[in-house]
Amino acid sequence: MTVLSTPLQRLRRKLDPAIVPVLVVEDHDASRRLVMELLRASGFSNLYYARDAEQAIEMIAAHPPDLMILDWNLPGMSGVELTENIRHAALTGDPRFPNSQTPIVMLTARQRARDVDQARLAGVDEFVVKPFSTASLLRAVVSALTRRRRFIAAETYAGPDRRRRKAASHPGVGRRAGDIPVSGEPHPDARAAATEEVRRLRERLGDKGALDRKAVNTAVTRLIASQTAAHDLRMRLIERAAASLNHYVRLFGQKAEPDVLDVHFDALIQLGDMPPDAQAEALEIVNHLDTLVARRSVQKRARA
């Protein structure tokens, strides 16, 4: 059986967590202690903390971190505002922030799509929803440290490139046996094609100066349809993840493994946070759940 490497194992292949300076900015004492204990148990020992953004700014200047873990709802300046200040130092040269590209993991109880978008627009590398598991926090930390994206410094945005995949390599939605029903699935290029159609329409209107209502209605209808299909697909994937969890609990009852339950809960949170165009990644997560439960089911029958 193939053994999947843990986020921590992947991190240790690339760097020593003990030498990584990490600044945790969290005003809630219990939450801060939890984060720091989880990091310490994972091999991070160069840890320090701040209770608010102002204190964090002082520490950044004195001890520049290689990673920051911020709570969204800090007293005074919020974690999002602090992130924006750090990122815009690439444009303003603010001496308080010697490294505007410092990886930032945002902790928050917010999980609405617009909150995730706000954090990404501020320049956050990773977004972790409270209450979080050890695995989800470590996965975000490892990703922020080892999967560095190109840094963008423009007037409208400063921060890591928000595109996580190259368009040419996007594999689209799989249709293997056991996948969700294919009816209603958007073509992997449907949204891009619909957006391109709107763009071409805009160019034509600029050239001719005339409003073609039929062309406008067609383009907008196709764009809305592609977005709706992507949303519906995500909802079906969440339903599949929930069904996998229910199936596992029915099989094992009180003997259910905490790690397997944790993987399911973490997957449900990830699926809720992912942008609509991350179809392939979302499908991979759900397929992994199905494979995990199938293996546990085979092992249970073998022991019976």
Side-chain angles (χ1 to χ4, degrees):
M1 182 179 72
T2 302
V3 179
L4 299 177
S5 62
T6 66
L8 189 57
Q9 289 171 335
R10 292 194 293 274
L11 174 65
R12 286 174 173 161
R13 285 198 292 267
K14 296 184 177 182
L15 55 86
D16 181 3
I19 66 174
V20 178
V22 181
L23 173 59
V24 179
V25 189
E26 167 67 81
D27 63 307
H28 191 272
D29 291 342
S31 296
R32 185 179 63 254
R33 285 195 295 268
L34 173 62
V35 171
M36 296 186 72
E37 284 304 317
L38 290 178
L39 292 173
R40 194 171 287 112
S42 301
F44 292 88
S45 57
N46 193 358
L47 305 174
Y48 51 110
Y49 68 87
R51 289 188 170 89
D52 56 41
E54 288 71 20
Q55 187 180 12
I57 291 172
E58 294 177 3
M59 291 189 169
I60 290 170
H63 306 284
D66 285 350
L67 174 71
M68 293 182 65
I69 301 178
L70 304 180
D71 182 56
W72 183 310
N73 293 319
L74 296 172
M77 184 190 299
S78 72
V80 169
E81 291 171 325
L82 176 57
T83 300
E84 290 174 337
N85 284 328
I86 293 171
R87 296 310 188 210
H88 280 93
L91 304 173
T92 64
D94 190 332
R96 298 177 301 169
F97 308 112
N99 182 8
S100 60
Q101 301 184 31
T102 301
I104 297 175
V105 175
M106 178 69 70
L107 303 178
T108 179
R110 306 178 184 213
Q111 50 186 308
R112 294 172 299 182
R114 66 171 175 265
D115 294 323
V116 177
D117 288 341
Q118 183 180 352
R120 286 179 176 148
L121 287 171
V124 166
D125 291 84
E126 299 293 336
F127 191 87
V128 180
V129 177
K130 298 178 179 180
F132 52 82
S133 66
T134 302
S136 61
L137 177 63
L138 282 180
R139 184 160 41 248
V141 166
V142 171
S143 178
L145 287 171
T146 64
R147 299 177 62 185
R148 303 293 300 277
R149 286 168 275 155
R150 184 169 60 102
F151 190 84
I152 307 297
E155 291 184 4
T156 56
Y157 172 74
D161 192 338
R162 288 164 290 181
R163 296 170 299 177
R164 292 176 178 264
R165 297 175 182 270
K166 294 181 179 179
S169 65
H170 194 290
V173 180
R175 295 189 175 184
R176 298 182 296 274
D179 284 353
I180 57 176
V182 299
S183 60
E185 288 184 2
H187 187 276
D189 297 324
R191 295 184 69 201
T195 302
E196 181 60 29
E197 184 172 356
V198 173
R199 187 176 294 111
R200 288 198 301 268
L201 175 62
R202 179 183 181 181
E203 292 173 354
R204 289 201 302 272
L205 292 176
D207 294 338
K208 299 178 181 179
L211 181 64
D212 185 339
R213 292 188 178 180
K214 182 177 180 181
V216 170
N217 289 336
T218 299
V220 172
T221 299
R222 289 180 180 175
L223 185 61
I224 292 174
S226 67
Q227 291 173 333
T228 301
H231 174 76
D232 291 344
L233 172 61
R234 179 56 48 81
M235 290 302 100
R236 294 200 300 275
L237 287 173
I238 291 175
E239 289 174 359
R240 258 187 65 187
S244 175
L245 174 60
N246 288 332
H247 179 56
Y248 178 73
V249 172
R250 283 197 303 270
L251 281 175
F252 290 88
Q254 295 298 321
K255 295 183 179 180
E257 300 173 62
D259 287 349
V260 176
L261 298 176
D262 185 69
V263 166
H264 279 82
F265 290 134
D266 190 48
L268 287 166
I269 292 172
Q270 286 187 72
L271 291 170
D273 283 346
M274 283 181 178
D277 57 354
Q279 299 169 8
E281 186 176 355
L283 184 61
E284 182 180 353
I285 288 173
V286 177
N287 285 336
H288 174 68
L289 295 179
D290 289 343
T291 301
L292 177 63
V293 173
R295 286 174 177 170
R296 291 298 190 276
S297 179
V298 169
Q299 291 169 1
K300 180 181 179 183
R301 288 196 299 269
R303 290 194 296 265

